[in-house]
């Protein structure tokens, strides 16, 4: 019986250690799953509640070179903050080849600066606000934007303007020269 008692006394500590390791593993897995759940909830909380739509666009030569004036409207339920963080992309054909311009933001300006875009005004009904003091777009507000292109598109070509926010909300408009 001495050998059996010795074997049982050696088995019990092994079972206790195994049970403790299993409990620690279950707690770690539960903690990781809780962290994943929290991360998913935070990501849903940060999802934008605004939608952008370009309601009008026009190719012009009013600023000294080829430019596109357009109206961007926030049709969502929350404000679109930091208009300067928007990506403005213009694509068209010029001299028989496809051109894609990724324009950079430049503060309010009324002169042609190729490769840039700017906000001329924020319209709230019939009231025009200065984009420097009102650099966001609340629900229902419109931004008058001008995109300064580097060259003239070919006659009869399709011009596409795409605006993408940092949260990947997209607005697109096409016109023909």
């Amino acid at each position: 019986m001495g050998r059996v008692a010795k074997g049982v006394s050696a088995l019990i500590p092994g079972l206790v250690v195994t049970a403790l390791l299993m409990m620690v593993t279950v707690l770690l897995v539960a903690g990781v799953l809780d962290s994943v759940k929290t991360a998913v909830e935070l990501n849903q909380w940060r999802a934008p509640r605004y939608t952008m739509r370009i309601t009008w666009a026009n190719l012009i030569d009013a600023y000294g070179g080829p430019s596109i004036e357009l109206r961007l409207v926030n049709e969502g339920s929350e404000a679109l903050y930091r208009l300067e963080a928007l990506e403005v992309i213009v694509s068209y054909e010029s001299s028989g080849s496809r051109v894609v311009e990724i324009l950079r933001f430049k503060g309010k300006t009324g002169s042609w600066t190729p490769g840039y875009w700017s906000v001329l005004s924020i319209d709230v009904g019939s009231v025009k606000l200065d984009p420097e003091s009102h650099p966001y777009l609340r629900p229902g507000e419109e931004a008058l934007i001008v995109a300064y292109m580097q060259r003239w598109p070919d006659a009869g070509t399709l011009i596409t303007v795409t605006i993408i926010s940092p949260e990947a909300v997209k607005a697109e408009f096409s016109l023909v020269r």
Side-chain angles (χ1 to χ4, degrees):
M1 286 235 177
R3 285 179 131 181
V4 172
K6 211 176 190 187
V8 170
S9 66
L11 182 63
I12 291 177
L15 289 174
V16 170
V17 169
T18 302
L20 287 174
L21 285 173
M22 288 175 62
M23 286 177 29
V24 168
T25 302
V26 167
L27 290 174
L28 284 173
V29 168
V32 167
L33 291 176
D34 188 45
S35 296
V36 168
K37 177 184 170 198
T38 303
V40 167
E41 287 172 355
L42 284 175
N43 193 25
Q44 288 174 348
W45 177 74
R46 290 184 183 172
R49 292 180 185 88
Y50 62 85
T51 55
M52 301 183 303
R53 186 166 64 97
I54 300 171
T55 59
W56 169 84
N58 189 27
L59 179 65
I60 58 172
D61 187 14
Y63 299 98
S67 305
I68 297 179
E69 281 187 337
L70 59 96
R71 291 205 170 274
L72 179 69
V73 180
N74 180 357
E75 295 183 331
S77 62
E78 77 177 27
L80 187 162
Y81 295 101
R82 296 186 44 229
L83 287 173
E84 75 277 1
L86 296 174
E87 292 286 337
V88 176
I89 303 165
V90 181
S91 62
Y92 54 92
E93 282 192 22
S94 180
S95 300
S97 63
R98 193 77 188 154
V99 176
V100 177
E101 293 186 34
I102 301 173
L103 307 176
R104 294 181 303 237
F105 176 76
K106 183 174 184 172
K108 184 179 174 183
T109 182
S111 62
W112 183 62
T113 312
Y116 288 88
W117 68 275
S118 41
V119 180
L120 298 180
S121 68
I122 305 293
D123 299 346
V124 183
S126 61
V127 177
K128 291 194 181 297
L129 301 174
D130 182 27
E132 292 173 359
S133 62
H134 190 89
Y136 46 87
L137 211 54
R138 285 187 239 161
E141 294 181 345
E142 296 182 2
L144 177 59
I145 293 175
V146 62
Y148 307 106
M149 299 163 39
Q150 296 186 15
R151 53 180 122 164
W152 282 101
D154 293 341
T157 190
L158 182 69
I159 305 165
T160 303
V161 180
T162 306
I163 298 179
I164 305 171
S165 75
E167 296 85 9
V169 175
K170 179 174 135 180
E172 200 166 55
F173 194 90
S174 295
L175 62 147
V176 177
R177 172 172 185 217

